Amino acid sequence: SAASDVYKRQDFRLQIVSKLTNLIYLNLDGCYHLTDDGVVYFTALTNLVHLNLFGCNAVTDQGVNVLSKLTNLRKLCLSCCERLTDNGILFLSKFTNLIKLSLSW
């Protein structure tokens, strides 16, 4: 379908971004086509300190679990990520180096 093609293109772009391994700040505010499949590419960004996923509505609890592999992450914005549930919030305990977290709705 056309909608799934949009998600695939978004995820492909993130595959390219994942090669920027020195990246410390990534702002994907409003990238509502970002899926858990796209989030997997972030695990290559081991130097990432700040990640903004404001309004990334296709990211689910599983995506948050995958992000927990980013052990250098200090700031994380998951505000308006409407598909997160209490289970996804539980995964946040894995982010031991976070100093700032935004979960506003």
Side-chain angles (χ1 to χ4, degrees):
S1 78
S4 66
D5 288 344
V6 171
Y7 287 100
K8 288 177 186 173
R9 282 195 306 272
Q10 179 89 24
D11 291 345
F12 176 74
R13 291 179 188 130
L14 293 174
Q15 184 178 6
I16 295 167
V17 170
S18 73
K19 306 220 184 293
L20 304 173
T21 56
N22 289 320
L23 203 63
I24 60 170
Y25 177 84
L26 182 58
N27 182 355
L28 294 170
D29 183 342
C31 291
Y32 55 90
H33 293 298
L34 173 65
T35 67
D36 293 340
D37 291 338
V39 167
V40 170
Y41 295 115
F42 299 158
T43 59
L45 303 175
T46 56
N47 291 314
L48 205 59
V49 174
H50 184 170
L51 179 60
N52 182 358
L53 298 179
F54 182 94
C56 294
N57 295 327
V59 175
T60 70
D61 299 340
Q62 189 54 43
V64 174
N65 190 31
V66 168
L67 289 174
S68 69
K69 295 176 182 171
L70 297 173
T71 57
N72 288 322
L73 209 57
R74 308 272 291 169
K75 297 179 182 180
L76 177 61
C77 177
L78 296 171
S79 294
C80 297
C81 292
E82 297 171 356
R83 293 187 64 196
L84 292 182
T85 70
D86 290 345
N87 291 330
I89 303 305
L90 290 173
F91 289 132
L92 293 175
S93 65
K94 296 180 178 183
F95 293 87
T96 56
N97 287 317
L98 276 185
I99 59 171
K100 184 174 181 181
L101 175 64
S102 179
L103 294 171
S104 61
W105 302 101

